[in-house]
């Protein structure tokens, strides 16, 4: 026997909502968000390309996160070497 307050729509209404706001009215979107996103499909969920060489704006990889991080590390080591060299004359 189902209770009167056991409405299955309660779960549907409790779904996470799109966090975007209307450009025109400023009101919240309120559409259910796509699973794994904070926004609805209209507000950009599910879009975009995966990062990496298959990305349309990929040129040569020298600006990829891995390369930028390793360049920072090399520059840091070179800076420390110069500092050490300055200390010992
Ligand atoms: Zn939305």
């Amino acid at each position: 026997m189902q209770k009167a307050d056991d409405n299955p729509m309660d779960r549907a209404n409790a779904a996470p909502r799109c966090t975007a706001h209307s450009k025109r009215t400023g009101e919240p979107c309120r559409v259910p968000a796509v699973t794994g996103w904070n926004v609805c499909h209209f507000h950009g969920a599910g879009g975009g390309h995966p990062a990496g060489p298959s990305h349309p704006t990929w040129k040569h990889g020298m600006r990829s996160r891995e390369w930028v991080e390793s360049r920072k590390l090399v520059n840091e080591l070179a800076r420390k070497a110069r500092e050490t060299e300055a200390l010992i004359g």
Side-chain angles (χ1 to χ4, degrees):
M1 194 68 182
Q2 210 178 32
K3 286 183 289 181
D5 60 350
D6 229 13
N7 191 338
M9 282 309 289
D10 287 349
R11 271 188 303 132
N13 290 332
R17 298 292 151 166
C18 175
T19 56
H21 289 76
S22 167
K23 199 190 286 186
R24 190 164 44 82
T25 66
E27 294 286 313
C29 173
R30 298 185 314 186
V31 167
V34 173
T35 306
W37 290 73
N38 290 326
V39 289
C40 68
H41 205 275
F42 180 80
H43 284 118
H49 289 274
S54 66
H55 195 281
T57 61
W58 179 276
K59 301 297 180 202
H60 40 62
M62 293 298 284
R63 295 283 181 179
S64 68
R65 283 189 196 103
E66 291 83 5
W67 268 100
V68 169
E69 279 307 307
S70 56
R71 259 201 310 281
K72 277 182 188 170
L73 186 66
V74 167
N75 288 337
E76 175 73 18
L77 287 171
R79 191 176 307 118
K80 287 216 187 310
R82 280 194 303 272
E83 284 167 10
T84 307
E85 197 178 19
L87 277 176
I88 58 177

